[in-house]
Amino acid sequence: AIFRAVLQRQQPVVFMLWGAYAQKKINNLHATINPNIHLMLISAHPSPLSVTKFLGCKHFSKANAFLIAHH
């Protein structure tokens, strides 16, 4: 319900979905995300077991660039 409410807003939002658990939470909402308003960044969780997959994803710089572009 929270994700649906946020997705209805016209203000840009960046979702950072790290790990399978987080990705499953929004899995059925992929089709409702407007890429002109919201950004969804998906990566492995930055835990010791998968940190090598997480490093270099540059989620914070991508989020900053998206938010700056959307004022």
Side-chain angles (χ1 to χ4, degrees):
I2 293 170
F3 287 122
R4 284 186 199 88
V6 171
L7 289 171
Q8 291 176 358
R9 298 180 66 183
Q10 293 301 309
Q11 290 179 293
V13 174
V14 177
F15 294 92
M16 293 184 185
L17 306 172
W18 298 342
Y21 183 78
Q23 293 162 22
K24 286 179 189 175
K25 289 291 183 187
I26 200 165
N27 195 27
N28 60 343
L29 297 176
H30 280 283
T32 62
I33 294 175
N34 182 342
N36 296 320
I37 300 174
H38 306 299
L39 176 64
M40 186 179 342
L41 301 172
I42 299 172
S43 180
H45 192 277
S47 71
L49 298 175
S50 59
V51 72
T52 57
K53 295 177 185 177
F54 178 80
L55 292 175
C57 71
K58 301 186 181 201
H59 277 190
F60 293 108
S61 57
K62 290 177 182 179
N64 286 339
F66 177 82
L67 293 171
I68 289 169
H70 289 83
H71 309 287

